[in-house]
Amino acid sequence: MDEQRYGEWVAVRRDGFVAELVLDRPKAMNAVSSEMARSIAAACAALADDGSVRAVVLTSTHERAFCVGADLKERNSFSDAEMMRHRPVSRAAYTAVLELPVPAVAAVHGFALGGGYELALSCDVIVADRTAVVGLPEVSVGVIPGGGGTQLLPRRVGAARAAELIFSARRVPAEEAHALGMVDELVAPGEDRTAALELAGRIAANSPVGLRAAKRALRLGHGLDLRAGLEVEDAGWRTIAFSADRAEGVAAFNEKRTPDWPGE
């Protein structure tokens, strides 16, 4: 397995067609500082440009936390001007995860709070183990979610439920989070990374052209009325209908063999 570091606290590990984006700031429970935000954005940019990557798994090296959110110790030292300069840096990290062109799976255990949970929300699927505690507690410290939480959480759980969760700033244990749709798959303690990588492996066995087109259609079509959404889907279909992947997929099906995807 190849590993590449992006700054001190972020790593990318590649195993075949699956890339693991690793949060590795254990002394701070992966609190996202300015430096770490830049590293996340840089790692995601490299992954987005890598045509061999078919799925990404976002993981943590900390035993008791996925990510506790923004580095509030750093934020406490900021002047107003520094806070304004920091905002584009922070936002770019979350946007970079959200805009990964391939399916992304978050592997969550322990605390995933504030910006940490927003990193998970920026992925397509969230696998959590039973130790997970998730939530958006920003209003309890005088701010609001700034990594997409006010927009991504309602898309998962509905507007009224998201309002209750955000306004109350409460932390939600794994079982309830799963029941509410805040996470998608619940596994035994310590199994989140394994389960997420297994899911990513199943995803990566499929057409890379098809995966990117399907993700684009899902993201662009969400929230549109049905007619507009179907136009988005049709546009996606047209991008892959005459691809080499489509030809290989049909041929492999008829020949009863595993496809050897050209990726184009």
Side-chain angles (χ1 to χ4, degrees), residues 128 162 211-212 242:
L211 288 171
R212 288 174 180 249
F242 308 104

Side-chain angles (χ1 to χ4, degrees), residues 19 82 114 156 164 199 249:
E82 287 170 330
R156 279 184 160 268
E164 181 268 319
L199 173 58

